[in-house]
Amino acid sequence: MRILGICGSLQARSSNLTLLHTARAMAPEGVELVLYDGIRELPLFNPDIEASGAPPAVSEWRRAIAASDALLIASPEYGHSLPGALKNAIDWVIGTGELERKVVGVTAATVSPERGRLGLQALRGTLGAVSARVVGGEPIARGPSFERELAALLGALIDAARAGATSEP
Ligand SMILES: Cc1cc2nc3c(=O)[nH]c(=O)nc-3n(C[C@H](O)[C@H](O)[C@H](O)COP(=O)(O)O)c2cc1C
């Protein structure tokens, strides 16, 4: 099983990127978590660009999603919503449908359990618009239960991806 890890934060020292590295280290045998760093390369979504052919970064993004069994998105909240870079990346696959019925685990690495919830709510709304199957959606706060909560999300994501694979026609 191949899970594509997407970080909603573009900063090098991102707590969400650290969460994804931790998840990659936790992945059980037979499950590969591949980090995808290409959303920073995507142009701002504009249907006019698509009309003259998808830019290479866009084609690569679409191919990476299509080649994965599931996604794991860890994203900060910016201005009570999801980061623009992540929303832009999702906008590029609305028309082409790579996220349709795709199992997508979502979380936010936060300093406390109260933070990040509006960002996750917005992210879930956007993923709902592209008919993704969302798993999780709770922030994971740093602290003693961090690894346990992350392992639970990863386990639920793997289970949902396996169930999705067996229920496909
Ligand atoms: C421009 C900006 C806006 C932010 N807006 C929010 C917000 O609305 N709500 C919130 O809980 N945190 C907000 N934060 C805090 C980030 O979500 C927090 O710093 C997060 O850990 C960043 O993730 P990262 O470490 O993966 O880059 C904001 C941070 C920045 C830089």
Side-chain angles (χ1 to χ4, degrees), residues 7-18 74-81 109-111 114-119 142:
C7 185
S9 169
L10 303 186
Q11 67 173 335
R13 295 185 62 184
S14 157
S15 51
N16 284 283
L17 186 59
T18 301
S75 178
E77 174 178 316
Y78 286 163
H80 291 181
S81 192
T110 59
V111 288
E114 300 77 40
R115 300 293 294 268
R117 290 183 179 276
L118 293 174
R142 69 172 65 139

Side-chain angles (χ1 to χ4, degrees), residues 8 20-21 27 39 49 64 67-68 89 97 116 119-120 128 138-140 146 154 158-159 162-163:
L20 289 171
H21 283 297
I39 70 166
I49 300 177
S68 304
L120 287 168
E138 293 289 309
I140 300 182
F146 182 88
L154 187 60
I158 292 167
D159 288 349
R162 286 198 177 120

Side-chain angles (χ1 to χ4, degrees), residues 105-169:
V106 297
T107 189
T110 59
V111 288
S112 73
E114 300 77 40
R115 300 293 294 268
R117 290 183 179 276
L118 293 174
L120 287 168
Q121 190 181 311
L123 175 57
R124 291 180 66 117
T126 300
L127 289 170
V130 291
S131 305
R133 298 169 174 176
V134 176
V135 174
E138 293 289 309
I140 300 182
R142 69 172 65 139
S145 59
F146 182 88
E147 294 217 354
R148 181 172 45 77
E149 289 176 34
L150 180 56
L153 173 62
L154 187 60
L157 178 62
I158 292 167
D159 288 349
R162 286 198 177 120
T166 52
S167 68
E168 292 298 331

